[in-house]
Short mmCIF file of all heavy atoms in Angstrom, two decimals:
data_model
loop_
_atom_site.label_atom_id
_atom_site.label_comp_id
_atom_site.label_asym_id
_atom_site.label_seq_id
_atom_site.Cartn_x
_atom_site.Cartn_y
_atom_site.Cartn_z
N VAL L 98 3.46 -7.67 2.14
CA VAL L 98 4.69 -8.33 1.72
C VAL L 98 5.61 -7.27 1.20
O VAL L 98 5.18 -6.36 0.43
CB VAL L 98 4.41 -9.39 0.63
CG1 VAL L 98 5.69 -9.97 0.11
CG2 VAL L 98 3.48 -10.46 1.15
N GLU L 99 6.88 -7.32 1.56
CA GLU L 99 7.86 -6.37 1.09
C GLU L 99 8.84 -7.08 0.19
O GLU L 99 9.20 -8.25 0.45
CB GLU L 99 8.61 -5.73 2.27
CG GLU L 99 7.70 -4.92 3.15
CD GLU L 99 8.44 -4.35 4.38
OE1 GLU L 99 9.69 -4.49 4.44
OE2 GLU L 99 7.74 -3.82 5.25
N ARG L 100 9.31 -6.45 -0.88
CA ARG L 100 10.30 -7.04 -1.75
C ARG L 100 11.17 -5.93 -2.34
O ARG L 100 10.71 -4.81 -2.54
CB ARG L 100 9.68 -7.86 -2.89
CG ARG L 100 8.94 -7.06 -3.91
CD ARG L 100 8.47 -7.90 -5.05
NE ARG L 100 8.09 -7.05 -6.13
CZ ARG L 100 7.37 -7.40 -7.12
NH1 ARG L 100 6.94 -8.64 -7.24
NH2 ARG L 100 7.03 -6.54 -8.07
N GLU L 101 12.39 -6.27 -2.62
CA GLU L 101 13.34 -5.31 -3.17
C GLU L 101 12.94 -4.98 -4.61
O GLU L 101 12.53 -5.87 -5.36
CB GLU L 101 14.75 -5.86 -3.15
CG GLU L 101 15.76 -4.83 -3.56
CD GLU L 101 17.19 -5.29 -3.39
OE1 GLU L 101 17.48 -6.46 -3.77
OE2 GLU L 101 18.00 -4.55 -2.87
N ASP L 102 12.99 -3.68 -4.94
CA ASP L 102 12.68 -3.21 -6.27
C ASP L 102 13.88 -2.44 -6.81
O ASP L 102 14.30 -1.46 -6.18
CB ASP L 102 11.46 -2.31 -6.19
CG ASP L 102 11.08 -1.67 -7.52
OD1 ASP L 102 11.68 -2.04 -8.54
OD2 ASP L 102 10.18 -0.79 -7.51
N ARG L 103 14.41 -2.86 -7.92
CA ARG L 103 15.58 -2.17 -8.50
C ARG L 103 15.23 -1.55 -9.86
O ARG L 103 16.11 -1.29 -10.64
CB ARG L 103 16.74 -3.16 -8.66
CG ARG L 103 17.28 -3.59 -7.32
CD ARG L 103 18.48 -4.48 -7.54
NE ARG L 103 19.04 -4.88 -6.27
CZ ARG L 103 20.32 -4.89 -6.00
NH1 ARG L 103 21.17 -4.55 -6.93
NH2 ARG L 103 20.76 -5.22 -4.81
N ALA L 104 13.98 -1.27 -10.06
CA ALA L 104 13.54 -0.66 -11.33
C ALA L 104 14.06 0.77 -11.42
O ALA L 104 14.31 1.44 -10.41
CB ALA L 104 12.01 -0.67 -11.41
N LEU L 105 14.24 1.27 -12.64
CA LEU L 105 14.66 2.63 -12.90
C LEU L 105 15.95 3.00 -12.19
O LEU L 105 16.18 4.15 -11.78
CB LEU L 105 13.57 3.61 -12.46
CG LEU L 105 12.16 3.38 -13.09
CD1 LEU L 105 11.16 4.32 -12.47
CD2 LEU L 105 12.22 3.55 -14.61
N PHE L 106 16.88 2.02 -12.11
CA PHE L 106 18.19 2.20 -11.53
C PHE L 106 18.16 2.72 -10.10
O PHE L 106 19.05 3.39 -9.61
CB PHE L 106 19.04 3.13 -12.41
CG PHE L 106 19.09 2.69 -13.79
CD1 PHE L 106 18.35 3.25 -14.80
CD2 PHE L 106 19.91 1.60 -14.14
CE1 PHE L 106 18.42 2.82 -16.13
CE2 PHE L 106 20.02 1.14 -15.44
CZ PHE L 106 19.25 1.76 -16.45
N MET L 107 17.07 2.44 -9.37
CA MET L 107 16.95 2.78 -7.96
C MET L 107 16.87 1.52 -7.12
O MET L 107 16.56 0.46 -7.66
CB MET L 107 15.64 3.60 -7.72
CG MET L 107 15.65 4.96 -8.36
SD MET L 107 14.20 5.89 -7.85
CE MET L 107 12.93 5.17 -8.90
N ARG L 108 17.16 1.66 -5.86
CA ARG L 108 17.02 0.53 -4.96
C ARG L 108 16.06 0.93 -3.87
O ARG L 108 16.33 1.83 -3.09
CB ARG L 108 18.36 0.20 -4.37
CG ARG L 108 18.32 -1.11 -3.63
CD ARG L 108 19.74 -1.52 -3.24
NE ARG L 108 19.69 -2.74 -2.50
CZ ARG L 108 20.72 -3.31 -1.98
NH1 ARG L 108 21.92 -2.74 -2.03
NH2 ARG L 108 20.60 -4.45 -1.36
N ARG L 109 14.91 0.28 -3.81
CA ARG L 109 13.90 0.61 -2.82
C ARG L 109 13.11 -0.66 -2.50
O ARG L 109 13.31 -1.68 -3.14
CB ARG L 109 12.97 1.72 -3.32
CG ARG L 109 12.30 1.43 -4.63
CD ARG L 109 11.60 2.62 -5.21
NE ARG L 109 11.07 2.34 -6.51
CZ ARG L 109 10.43 3.14 -7.27
NH1 ARG L 109 10.21 4.34 -6.85
NH2 ARG L 109 9.97 2.81 -8.47
N VAL L 110 12.26 -0.56 -1.48
CA VAL L 110 11.49 -1.70 -1.05
C VAL L 110 10.02 -1.52 -1.43
O VAL L 110 9.38 -0.55 -0.95
CB VAL L 110 11.64 -1.99 0.43
CG1 VAL L 110 10.81 -3.17 0.92
CG2 VAL L 110 13.11 -2.19 0.78
N ASP L 111 9.50 -2.39 -2.27
CA ASP L 111 8.14 -2.38 -2.76
C ASP L 111 7.25 -2.95 -1.69
O ASP L 111 7.59 -3.95 -1.05
CB ASP L 111 8.10 -3.22 -4.03
CG ASP L 111 6.74 -3.27 -4.69
OD1 ASP L 111 6.01 -2.29 -4.66
OD2 ASP L 111 6.45 -4.35 -5.28
N VAL L 112 6.06 -2.36 -1.45
CA VAL L 112 5.08 -2.85 -0.49
C VAL L 112 3.88 -3.35 -1.25
O VAL L 112 3.31 -2.63 -2.11
CB VAL L 112 4.64 -1.75 0.48
CG1 VAL L 112 3.60 -2.25 1.44
CG2 VAL L 112 5.86 -1.21 1.23
N ARG L 113 3.44 -4.57 -0.95
CA ARG L 113 2.29 -5.21 -1.63
C ARG L 113 1.31 -5.79 -0.64
O ARG L 113 1.69 -6.13 0.48
CB ARG L 113 2.81 -6.34 -2.55
CG ARG L 113 3.71 -5.85 -3.62
CD ARG L 113 4.10 -6.93 -4.58
NE ARG L 113 4.64 -6.32 -5.76
CZ ARG L 113 3.95 -5.91 -6.79
NH1 ARG L 113 2.65 -6.13 -6.86
NH2 ARG L 113 4.52 -5.29 -7.79
N CYS L 114 0.08 -5.88 -1.02
CA CYS L 114 -0.90 -6.53 -0.23
C CYS L 114 -0.61 -8.02 -0.23
O CYS L 114 -0.40 -8.62 -1.27
CB CYS L 114 -2.34 -6.32 -0.86
SG CYS L 114 -3.65 -7.28 -0.07
N ALA L 115 -0.54 -8.61 0.96
CA ALA L 115 -0.22 -10.09 1.08
C ALA L 115 -1.32 -10.92 0.52
O ALA L 115 -1.05 -12.03 0.09
CB ALA L 115 0.10 -10.42 2.54
N ARG L 116 -2.54 -10.42 0.55
CA ARG L 116 -3.67 -11.28 0.13
C ARG L 116 -3.85 -11.36 -1.39
O ARG L 116 -4.19 -12.39 -1.94
CB ARG L 116 -4.92 -10.70 0.77
CG ARG L 116 -6.13 -11.59 0.63
CD ARG L 116 -7.23 -11.10 1.58
NE ARG L 116 -8.46 -11.75 1.26
CZ ARG L 116 -9.67 -11.17 1.35
NH1 ARG L 116 -9.74 -9.94 1.82
NH2 ARG L 116 -10.74 -11.80 1.04
N CYS L 117 -3.55 -10.22 -2.12
CA CYS L 117 -3.79 -10.23 -3.55
C CYS L 117 -2.63 -9.77 -4.41
O CYS L 117 -2.74 -9.64 -5.60
CB CYS L 117 -5.07 -9.44 -3.90
SG CYS L 117 -4.85 -7.66 -3.71
N ASN L 118 -1.49 -9.40 -3.74
CA ASN L 118 -0.28 -8.96 -4.41
C ASN L 118 -0.43 -7.60 -5.11
O ASN L 118 0.29 -7.27 -6.01
CB ASN L 118 0.20 -10.00 -5.41
CG ASN L 118 1.69 -9.82 -5.74
OD1 ASN L 118 2.50 -9.49 -4.93
ND2 ASN L 118 2.01 -9.98 -7.01
N ALA L 119 -1.37 -6.76 -4.66
CA ALA L 119 -1.52 -5.43 -5.24
C ALA L 119 -0.33 -4.56 -4.81
O ALA L 119 0.08 -4.55 -3.64
CB ALA L 119 -2.81 -4.78 -4.75
N HIS L 120 0.21 -3.82 -5.80
CA HIS L 120 1.27 -2.84 -5.46
C HIS L 120 0.65 -1.69 -4.72
O HIS L 120 -0.31 -1.10 -5.18
CB HIS L 120 1.90 -2.38 -6.78
CG HIS L 120 2.80 -1.15 -6.60
ND1 HIS L 120 4.00 -1.22 -5.93
CD2 HIS L 120 2.63 0.12 -6.96
CE1 HIS L 120 4.52 -0.04 -5.96
NE2 HIS L 120 3.72 0.83 -6.55
N LEU L 121 1.22 -1.36 -3.55
CA LEU L 121 0.64 -0.28 -2.70
C LEU L 121 1.54 0.95 -2.71
O LEU L 121 1.08 2.06 -2.66
CB LEU L 121 0.51 -0.79 -1.27
CG LEU L 121 -0.36 -2.06 -1.06
CD1 LEU L 121 -0.22 -2.54 0.38
CD2 LEU L 121 -1.78 -1.81 -1.47
#
Side-chain angles (χ1 to χ4, degrees):
V98 174
E99 297 176 7
R100 71 173 193 196
E101 188 174 44
D102 176 8
R103 292 183 178 225
L105 304 173
F106 305 104
M107 292 187 281
R108 190 172 181 185
R109 55 191 175 180
V110 178
D111 182 34
V112 177
R113 297 185 165 273
C114 173
R116 191 165 166 215
C117 72
N118 199 40
H120 168 70
L121 305 171

